[in-house]
Amino acid sequence: MSAPPRHIVIAGAGQAGGRAAEALRARGFTGAITLLGEEPHPPYERPQLSKDMLTDADKPVAYIKQAGAWNDLDVRLETSAPVTDCDAGRRTVATADGRVFAFDRLLVATGTRPRRLAQLDSSGLKVQYLRNVEDAVRFRQSIQGRARIVIVGGGVIGLEAACAAAKHGCEVTVIESEQRLLARAFPVVVSDLVAAKHRSHGVTFRLGATVSGTTPNGLRLSDGTEIAADLVLVGIGVEPVATVAERLGLPAAGGIAVDSCGRTAAPDVFCAGDAALQWSRCHGRSIRVETWANAQNQAIAVAANMIGEPRDYNDPPWFWTDQYDLNIQVAGDMLDSDHILRGDVASGKFSVIAMRGSDIVGALSVNSAKDMATLRRVIAAARRPARSDLESPAYDLRAALK
């Protein structure tokens, strides 16, 4: 790395960008920090977009810091200022309004954007996506009218939106291309539990189907079914915002590749958050981790590396979702593994441990936060308790940490 930085620019004022700016000051960095954000808001907590904000109109936006507090931290926050260009040779970035900002170190924290269904965007139907505060408010207002809501995509975001719509008395249909919900993250037993819970609240599922076209009143599916819709919410995943990476000549279609310190292939350019393509020991490959915890914790670690304090980041992925009265937490990777069930599924409180050989590579808990707290530590420490112990109901998971 070159000489210590005097000016750090952070492209992206979301969860990762905001936490990185905080961490730089917390670690004693006294140089200039410029935080450039696309949205008109200061950095805010992202989980609320598909959780509290969809159900509680009186819930204020949870900001990481209010706008004035960034001034107090001596961070120059520029909102409504998306980065549209970057010159690696001159070490500058430019925003959409033509302003240019010089840097010694650059953190790319531009995150992701929703994948779009172009055939719906031009259909004349009322179509929404869920990416920012305005989107969340718009969807909440739409479901207050007990509308017919069709959600394309049975992933975490789509199902949390389905929860909110069902609670408001809407007629909700979820279209999922896979044969079960959350097939890339949940074992079958949990997929079935979540589906049953939703059905008990009146939600209808069309599994193994995709959108093939539109009708004057709604959607036509690949199986020939037609569904009426007052509103269509699309939640079919996200893709990295690649503008800065492309200007730097970095491949970014699947994410911006980083090492364990957050460094990219471009000198003095780092990346953290949803856009970063990082190694996951649990998965055995490099992945993008689209979670609140990763955006926050990776950014904090990368901030230290940017100012010359070496710190590897290799936290196992972790996320949570609330589906009605089911709190579900997932750590690591649940796919392509043997599963050990601990607890009683019928009770609505249990855990599933994923193993490959003698390695614990993942865990899922349903209403078992204490189990998950321990299992996250076990996975992070790469502990290898005996399979026979894990299969015993009498075994205390905390023993794996001793």
Side-chain angles (χ1 to χ4, degrees):
M1 189 180 289
S2 54
R6 293 178 298 171
H7 193 166
I8 291 177
V9 170
I10 302 173
Q15 194 86 40
R19 291 303 185 190
E22 281 187 326
L24 287 167
R25 288 292 183 240
R27 288 186 169 273
F29 177 65
T30 58
I33 301 174
T34 302
L35 183 57
L36 303 173
E38 177 182 11
E39 297 185 44
H41 311 282
Y44 55 83
E45 299 285 357
R46 293 284 163 169
Q48 63 188 318
L49 297 182
S50 60
K51 294 179 172 67
D52 294 346
M53 288 194 66
L54 299 188
T55 57
D56 188 351
D58 296 323
K59 191 82 170 180
V61 177
Y63 293 103
I64 292 175
K65 289 184 182 300
Q66 295 289 339
W70 293 106
N71 292 329
D72 297 340
L73 201 61
D74 195 22
V75 171
R76 179 180 177 182
L77 171 63
E78 296 288 345
T79 58
S80 301
V83 174
T84 56
D85 201 1
C86 182
D87 189 320
R90 295 182 178 180
R91 292 178 176 250
T92 60
V93 298
T95 53
D97 58 8
R99 289 180 294 168
V100 177
F101 300 85
F103 64 84
D104 301 313
R105 303 273 193 282
L106 172 65
L107 176 62
V108 181
T110 45
T112 56
R113 62 168 62 93
R115 291 194 180 99
R116 304 188 74 89
L117 275 181
Q119 61 181 320
L120 297 187
D121 290 344
S122 59
S123 66
L125 296 175
K126 187 176 181 181
V127 178
Q128 294 183 11
Y129 297 82
L130 195 55
R131 181 173 186 254
N132 54 37
V133 167
E134 289 75 19
D135 291 339
V137 171
R138 189 179 303 114
F139 184 71
R140 185 184 68 219
Q141 292 171 341
S142 297
I143 63 179
Q144 288 173 344
R146 301 174 66 88
R148 296 170 298 180
I149 307 296
V150 175
I151 299 173
V152 182
V156 169
I157 300 301
L159 292 177
E160 288 181 344
C163 285
K167 288 176 181 177
H168 278 88
C170 295
E171 179 183 322
V172 183
T173 301
V174 176
I175 302 166
E176 168 55 43
S177 61
E178 299 285 346
Q179 294 296 331
R180 63 183 178 90
L181 301 176
L182 290 160
R184 289 178 293 176
F186 287 6
V188 173
V189 65
V190 182
S191 294
D192 291 347
L193 177 67
V194 171
K197 179 65 69 171
H198 274 274
R199 289 184 176 115
S200 73
H201 285 77
V203 177
T204 299
F205 291 103
R206 304 295 306 185
L207 302 177
T210 58
V211 176
S212 62
T214 62
T215 69
N217 298 313
L219 303 180
R220 180 178 296 108
L221 305 188
S222 55
D223 60 7
T225 304
E226 294 185 359
I227 303 175
D230 299 310
L231 169 68
V232 179
L233 178 72
V234 178
I236 55 172
V238 296
E239 57 190 17
V241 177
T243 305
V244 176
E246 290 170 351
R247 297 297 189 273
L248 291 168
L250 297 172
I256 302 170
V258 298
D259 64 12
S260 61
C261 295
R263 290 182 290 250
T264 73
D268 295 324
V269 177
F270 296 72
C271 180
D274 290 5
L277 184 67
Q278 57 187 287
W279 176 258
S280 168
R281 177 181 59 82
C282 295
H283 294 75
R285 58 187 173 87
S286 292
I287 62 171
R288 284 192 304 103
V289 182
E290 301 162 8
T291 70
W292 164 86
N294 178 74
Q296 171 173 285
N297 298 335
Q298 186 186 33
I300 291 171
V302 172
N305 289 304
M306 293 181 75
I307 55 175
E309 299 179 13
R311 181 177 170 186
D312 287 340
Y313 176 80
N314 49 27
D315 290 8
W318 170 77
F319 72 91
W320 88 96
T321 179
D322 292 319
Q323 303 287 324
Y324 306 102
D325 59 351
L326 300 177
N327 172 255
I328 303 172
Q329 301 186 42
V330 182
D333 182 21
M334 298 299 296
L335 296 184
D336 301 321
S337 55
D338 298 326
H339 291 163
I340 298 173
L341 177 65
R342 291 177 59 87
D344 180 14
V345 174
S347 73
K349 183 177 182 180
F350 62 94
S351 297
V352 182
I353 298 172
M355 298 193 74
R356 295 194 195 109
S358 57
D359 295 326
I360 299 178
V361 295
L364 181 150
S365 69
V366 177
N367 293 334
S368 296
K370 288 184 179 180
D371 274 6
M372 179 53 68
T374 302
L375 288 166
R376 287 178 68 189
R377 294 173 61 195
V378 170
I379 296 170
R383 297 298 177 90
R384 304 171 86 181
R387 182 185 296 257
S388 58
D389 286 336
L390 295 171
E391 290 172 341
S392 171
Y395 180 69
D396 188 339
L397 292 172
R398 292 174 295 182
L401 295 168
K402 296 179 180 178

